[in-house]
Amino acid sequence: MQILDSYKNPTYVNGQAGSIYKQHPPLVNANRPPGEWQTYDIAWTAPRFNEDGSLKSPAKVTVLFNGILIQNNTELWGPTLYIGKPKYEKHGAAPIKLQDHGDPSEPISFRNIWIRPLQ
């Protein structure tokens, strides 16, 4: 899930805030101006694999960004790669990662990150 500042900040469509990086652009640009808190509500379904390692069902995500639906049960094609075609490889549970690229702007802050299983 891309969290780039896309408020009046043109960038490639599948790299703007709310995109599934390099796979799916958001349905709408729901960014608030810089300096205002942005909120994401994300419902994530992990991919599932058969015993032989083949894909049983792809990962899916539904996202509300600042209360606006921007991804609706969107299927991922595999990992979100910078270069190359995504493809699934069998894996188990994995951590959530927050990443930056050394952006010189104000530091990014996170608060109220809640994680709960929906099953």
Side-chain angles (χ1 to χ4, degrees), residues 67-82:
I68 299 169
L69 182 68
I70 62 165
Q71 298 287 346
N72 187 15
N73 204 33
T74 304
E75 288 188 4
L76 278 71
W77 304 329
T80 54
L81 305 173
Y82 174 62

Side-chain angles (χ1 to χ4, degrees), residues 56-112:
K56 184 174 187 177
S57 60
K60 295 181 182 180
V61 66
T62 295
V63 181
L64 296 172
F65 182 29
N66 295 324
I68 299 169
L69 182 68
I70 62 165
Q71 298 287 346
N72 187 15
N73 204 33
T74 304
E75 288 188 4
L76 278 71
W77 304 329
T80 54
L81 305 173
Y82 174 62
I83 296 174
K85 184 177 179 181
K87 81 173 198 181
Y88 282 100
E89 293 182 15
K90 186 176 181 180
H91 61 80
I96 291 175
K97 297 178 182 179
L98 304 174
Q99 166 188 331
D100 72 25
H101 294 285
D103 188 319
S105 64
E106 293 289 323
I108 296 172
S109 299
F110 297 91
R111 66 179 183 188
N112 298 331

